[in-house]
Amino acid sequence: MERTYIMVKPDGVQRGLVGEIIKRFEQRGYQLMALELLHPTKEHLEEHYKDLAGKPFFPGLIEYMLSGPVVGMVWAGKEVVKIGRKMLGETNPLASLPGSIRGDFAIDVGRNICHGSDAVESAEREIALWFPRGVPEYKRDISVHGLIYE
Ligand code: UDP
Ligand code: MG
């Protein structure tokens, strides 16, 4: 089953949007595999965003991400990486359509509420980084959109 790493950034936590973001993934039909509120270190955040080291906004991004706790989650389901990104919206909230999380709740690229993995490989790297003890699978025994997940 495809998995992605979704994180509510410090501004999303401060603004009380954790439940709203969880709700959207739940109602879409994705399965919650892991969830944790945590206070990451600078080194941890630099590792998470290592592909962006050297970008002009990198120091500001790390400072923003250190401004408070974050909520990390693993969600699983069909094409969850791509659909998760669609649900988040564009990196710049001003380019995000209403109906997306950023399009409904943000206007500043430097305060864009949430993170979502951009590819299956980066999702697996991020899940290993944020949930190093592993993410156990579990069977979901409810009907989702008329389908029973195996
Ligand atoms: N970011 C920023 N200014 C920019 C581009 C990105 O502050 O010009 C921040 C923004 O918070 C973004 C994060 O850096 O979410 C990571 O950038 P990326 O290009 O990976 O965007 P994302 O995958 O989060 O949409
Ligand atoms: Mg990214």
Side-chain angles (χ1 to χ4, degrees), residues 49 52 85 91 115-118 126:
Y49 279 126
L52 299 174
R85 295 275 294 186
T91 303
H115 164 83
S117 309
D118 62 9
E126 292 169 6

Side-chain angles (χ1 to χ4, degrees), residues 9 49 52 57 61 64 85 89-91 102 109-112 114-116 118:
K9 294 177 172 181
Y49 279 126
L52 299 174
F57 58 84
L61 170 62
Y64 157 47
R85 295 275 294 186
E90 301 298 322
T91 303
R102 289 164 175 168
V109 68
R111 294 290 182 274
N112 62 0
C114 47
H115 164 83
D118 62 9

Side-chain angles (χ1 to χ4, degrees), residues 3 5 44 74 121-135:
R3 307 189 296 175
Y5 178 67
H44 192 96
V74 178
E121 307 77 62
S122 52
E124 289 302 323
R125 178 183 83 82
E126 292 169 6
I127 291 166
L129 176 66
W130 290 92
F131 293 96
R133 285 172 296 175
V135 176

Side-chain angles (χ1 to χ4, degrees), residues 80-146:
V80 69
V81 171
K82 186 180 83 185
I83 302 301
R85 295 275 294 186
K86 273 192 187 166
M87 291 167 65
L88 262 50
E90 301 298 322
T91 303
N92 183 350
L94 295 180
S96 299
L97 290 175
S100 66
I101 293 163
R102 289 164 175 168
D104 285 346
F105 297 108
I107 53 172
D108 188 340
V109 68
R111 294 290 182 274
N112 62 0
I113 294 174
C114 47
H115 164 83
S117 309
D118 62 9
V120 171
E121 307 77 62
S122 52
E124 289 302 323
R125 178 183 83 82
E126 292 169 6
I127 291 166
L129 176 66
W130 290 92
F131 293 96
R133 285 172 296 175
V135 176
E137 293 182 6
Y138 66 97
K139 192 167 173 64
R140 198 161 50 158
D141 62 357
I142 55 163
S143 170
V144 178
H145 305 314

